[in-house]
Amino acid sequence: MDVYTEGRSIRYNEEFKEKGININFVEPTDTGSLKVRTYERGVEDETFSCGTGVTAAALVFYQQETGPNSVDIEVLGGKLNVSYNRNADGSYDNIWLKGPALKVFEGSVRF
């Protein structure tokens, strides 16, 4: 998949362009993990990962029984893991995103 072209077409669609959204392409794997590729606003290209995007994907794709859960996620930047607890009322707590960190930017940003 061409994440740049597909992500750009969604990002600049009339419905979304003013809000500025990140686009996460999510694919469940045969092993029970997820593959996520991210087109990120501001960068306007594919990035290593979007933390909120992969965490949300884990919660949505794997709404397991109540109790502790863990989902492995493959992203351009490597392998991540989202662990969480799903409560009896359907809410979540103790949500953790774990994985290696890599410095990809140094400098200042002007708004």
Side-chain angles (χ1 to χ4, degrees):
M1 168 194 293
D2 180 355
V3 172
Y4 177 80
T5 302
E6 293 296 321
R8 190 170 173 77
S9 71
I10 295 168
R11 161 81 169 94
Y12 288 101
N13 176 290
E14 285 297 318
E15 184 176 350
F16 304 117
K17 74 178 182 180
E18 294 302 318
K19 295 176 185 174
I21 62 169
N22 294 339
I23 297 93
N24 293 288
F25 298 94
V26 182
E27 176 185 356
T29 69
D30 294 340
T31 62
S33 65
L34 294 176
K35 275 188 170 180
V36 178
R37 294 182 67 190
T38 301
Y39 180 93
E40 194 161 347
R41 74 174 190 265
V43 177
E44 305 306 331
D45 203 349
E46 185 171 8
T47 59
F48 288 131
S49 177
C50 171
T52 54
V54 296
T55 303
L59 299 179
V60 169
F61 273 83
Y62 293 101
Q63 293 188 5
Q64 308 279 336
E65 300 173 14
T66 58
N69 291 277
S70 179
V71 178
D72 292 323
I73 302 174
E74 299 172 38
V75 296
L76 184 63
K79 295 186 185 261
L80 303 174
N81 177 271
V82 175
S83 61
Y84 57 92
N85 185 60
R86 186 162 186 227
N87 302 311
D89 65 1
S91 65
Y92 298 91
D93 61 22
N94 203 23
I95 301 169
W96 291 88
L97 171 61
K98 298 174 247 176
L102 174 66
K103 183 177 182 179
V104 295
F105 176 78
E106 183 172 328
S108 59
V109 177
R110 292 185 11 207
F111 292 96

